[in-house]
Amino acid sequence: MKQSVKFSILAAFLVLLILVAFWGYRFLSARYQTPEQQTADKEHEEQAKTNTASDFTVIDMDGNSVNLSDYFGKPIIINFWATWCGPCKSELPAFDTAIQEYGQEITFLMVNLTDGFRDTISGVTDFVSENNYSFPVYFDTEYSAANAYRVSSIPLTVLIDREGNLYKSHIGAMSDATLEKYIQALLEDTSQ
């Protein structure tokens, strides 16, 4: 037999042996964990599921810094929007209505991508006032929120459960019915 063929067979055998050893170790170590190890693993898994939503800092309408994590404890709906975005503007009435109806049960963060050119704090404040919207606006002047959620297209709506875990994201304008469906799903999830 040629030397290269022997080497190939030996290499394949070693790779197979390593894979079998790796699989066997994982299988046997999981099977023979002590109760303390099993409890620690379950606690770690539960902790990993808590507060998975990326935190960020924005500015509220009074100029105060606000963190997303300040609102953990009840469901959160974040809507990323801008005044120059037609689809964003088309869904704002639905959000305004939803906030009036569900604002006690769900925190709504209407996050404006305030770039300082197309959208400024004063321009957005005027826009909200002119359209008689009652929702509070949060200004993402440093793009902290946009970067945390990798916003590349707006409108983008992010739903977070009361524990601070990501529930769902929706890209594009939403109808009243779709927003209502998401709200009911969030409320149902939190009642369990």
Side-chain angles (χ1 to χ4, degrees):
M1 236 199 254
K2 288 187 174 180
Q3 189 71 8
S4 62
V5 173
K6 285 182 182 180
F7 179 76
S8 296
I9 292 172
L10 182 61
F13 177 75
L14 285 173
V15 168
L16 182 62
L17 183 63
I18 290 170
L19 288 173
V20 168
F22 176 76
W23 177 81
Y25 174 79
R26 289 190 61 170
F27 175 76
L28 291 174
S29 65
R31 192 170 186 195
Y32 294 105
Q33 282 185 328
T34 65
E36 294 82 17
Q37 289 171 319
Q38 291 173 350
T39 301
D41 285 350
K42 286 180 184 177
E43 287 174 2
H44 178 71
E45 287 174 16
E46 288 301 314
Q47 186 179 22
K49 292 179 184 176
T50 303
N51 299 332
T52 59
S54 297
D55 203 6
F56 59 77
T57 303
V58 291
I59 299 170
D60 69 12
M61 295 179 88
D62 296 323
N64 302 310
S65 292
V66 174
N67 298 317
L68 172 65
S69 57
D70 297 340
Y71 298 102
F72 290 167
K74 71 179 186 178
I76 302 167
I77 296 179
I78 308 167
N79 180 258
F80 293 95
W81 67 284
T83 61
W84 49 263
C85 166
C88 299
K89 292 193 298 188
S90 73
E91 68 179 5
L92 291 178
F95 275 98
D96 197 49
T97 301
I99 290 167
Q100 290 173 28
E101 187 171 343
Y102 298 104
Q104 298 300 317
E105 301 166 84
I106 297 176
T107 298
F108 289 83
L109 298 177
M110 302 300 290
V111 177
N112 178 267
L113 302 182
T114 316
D115 61 6
F117 300 104
R118 293 185 285 185
D119 271 359
T120 61
I121 291 174
S122 62
V124 172
T125 303
D126 290 345
F127 171 82
V128 169
S129 177
E130 290 166 7
N131 288 283
N132 296 315
Y133 292 131
S134 60
F135 54 75
V137 177
Y138 298 88
F139 304 98
D140 193 14
T141 58
E142 301 294 322
Y143 280 23
S144 171
N147 289 334
Y149 288 89
R150 297 184 179 107
V151 177
S152 60
S153 178
I154 56 174
L156 170 67
T157 304
V158 177
L159 293 86
I160 299 171
D161 70 17
R162 69 174 177 217
E163 261 82 58
N165 299 309
L166 290 176
Y167 184 78
K168 191 167 194 68
S169 293
H170 180 95
I171 298 173
M174 275 194 279
S175 67
D176 296 14
T178 302
L179 180 57
E180 180 68 24
K181 180 182 82 171
Y182 286 147
I183 288 169
Q184 291 308 317
L186 262 182
L187 291 175
E188 189 176 297
D189 183 60
T190 60
S191 68
Q192 296 175 359

Short mmCIF file of all heavy atoms in Angstrom, two decimals, residues 15-25:
data_model
loop_
_atom_site.label_atom_id
_atom_site.label_comp_id
_atom_site.label_asym_id
_atom_site.label_seq_id
_atom_site.Cartn_x
_atom_site.Cartn_y
_atom_site.Cartn_z
N VAL A 15 -9.89 10.88 13.20
CA VAL A 15 -11.02 11.82 13.23
C VAL A 15 -12.27 11.12 13.75
O VAL A 15 -12.99 11.65 14.59
CB VAL A 15 -11.25 12.43 11.83
CG1 VAL A 15 -12.58 13.17 11.77
CG2 VAL A 15 -10.10 13.36 11.46
N LEU A 16 -12.51 9.92 13.27
CA LEU A 16 -13.67 9.15 13.72
C LEU A 16 -13.56 8.84 15.22
O LEU A 16 -14.54 8.97 15.96
CB LEU A 16 -13.78 7.85 12.91
CG LEU A 16 -14.97 6.96 13.24
CD1 LEU A 16 -16.28 7.69 12.94
CD2 LEU A 16 -14.89 5.67 12.44
N LEU A 17 -12.38 8.48 15.68
CA LEU A 17 -12.16 8.19 17.09
C LEU A 17 -12.42 9.44 17.96
O LEU A 17 -13.06 9.35 19.01
CB LEU A 17 -10.73 7.67 17.30
CG LEU A 17 -10.39 7.25 18.73
CD1 LEU A 17 -11.25 6.07 19.16
CD2 LEU A 17 -8.91 6.91 18.82
N ILE A 18 -11.96 10.58 17.51
CA ILE A 18 -12.17 11.83 18.25
C ILE A 18 -13.66 12.16 18.31
O ILE A 18 -14.18 12.55 19.36
CB ILE A 18 -11.36 12.98 17.62
CG1 ILE A 18 -9.86 12.74 17.87
CG2 ILE A 18 -11.80 14.33 18.17
CD1 ILE A 18 -8.96 13.68 17.11
N LEU A 19 -14.38 12.01 17.20
CA LEU A 19 -15.81 12.29 17.19
C LEU A 19 -16.58 11.37 18.12
O LEU A 19 -17.47 11.80 18.85
CB LEU A 19 -16.37 12.19 15.77
CG LEU A 19 -15.97 13.31 14.81
CD1 LEU A 19 -16.43 12.99 13.39
CD2 LEU A 19 -16.54 14.63 15.27
N VAL A 20 -16.24 10.08 18.12
CA VAL A 20 -16.90 9.12 19.00
C VAL A 20 -16.61 9.46 20.46
O VAL A 20 -17.51 9.44 21.31
CB VAL A 20 -16.48 7.67 18.66
CG1 VAL A 20 -16.92 6.69 19.74
CG2 VAL A 20 -17.05 7.26 17.32
N ALA A 21 -15.36 9.81 20.77
CA ALA A 21 -15.00 10.17 22.14
C ALA A 21 -15.74 11.44 22.58
O ALA A 21 -16.25 11.51 23.71
CB ALA A 21 -13.49 10.37 22.25
N PHE A 22 -15.82 12.42 21.73
CA PHE A 22 -16.50 13.68 22.05
C PHE A 22 -17.99 13.42 22.31
O PHE A 22 -18.54 13.85 23.31
CB PHE A 22 -16.32 14.68 20.90
CG PHE A 22 -17.07 15.96 21.10
CD1 PHE A 22 -16.61 16.91 21.98
CD2 PHE A 22 -18.25 16.21 20.40
CE1 PHE A 22 -17.31 18.09 22.18
CE2 PHE A 22 -18.95 17.37 20.58
CZ PHE A 22 -18.48 18.32 21.47
N TRP A 23 -18.62 12.69 21.41
CA TRP A 23 -20.05 12.39 21.56
C TRP A 23 -20.29 11.56 22.82
O TRP A 23 -21.21 11.82 23.59
CB TRP A 23 -20.57 11.67 20.32
CG TRP A 23 -22.01 11.29 20.47
CD1 TRP A 23 -23.09 12.08 20.27
CD2 TRP A 23 -22.53 10.02 20.89
NE1 TRP A 23 -24.25 11.39 20.53
CE2 TRP A 23 -23.93 10.11 20.91
CE3 TRP A 23 -21.94 8.81 21.23
CZ2 TRP A 23 -24.75 9.05 21.27
CZ3 TRP A 23 -22.76 7.75 21.59
CH2 TRP A 23 -24.14 7.88 21.60
N GLY A 24 -19.46 10.57 23.05
CA GLY A 24 -19.61 9.70 24.22
C GLY A 24 -19.44 10.48 25.52
O GLY A 24 -20.21 10.30 26.47
N TYR A 25 -18.48 11.39 25.56
CA TYR A 25 -18.27 12.19 26.75
C TYR A 25 -19.49 13.07 27.04
O TYR A 25 -19.96 13.13 28.16
CB TYR A 25 -17.01 13.06 26.59
CG TYR A 25 -16.83 14.03 27.74
CD1 TYR A 25 -16.30 13.59 28.95
CD2 TYR A 25 -17.19 15.36 27.61
CE1 TYR A 25 -16.15 14.46 30.01
CE2 TYR A 25 -17.05 16.24 28.66
CZ TYR A 25 -16.52 15.78 29.86
OH TYR A 25 -16.37 16.65 30.90
#
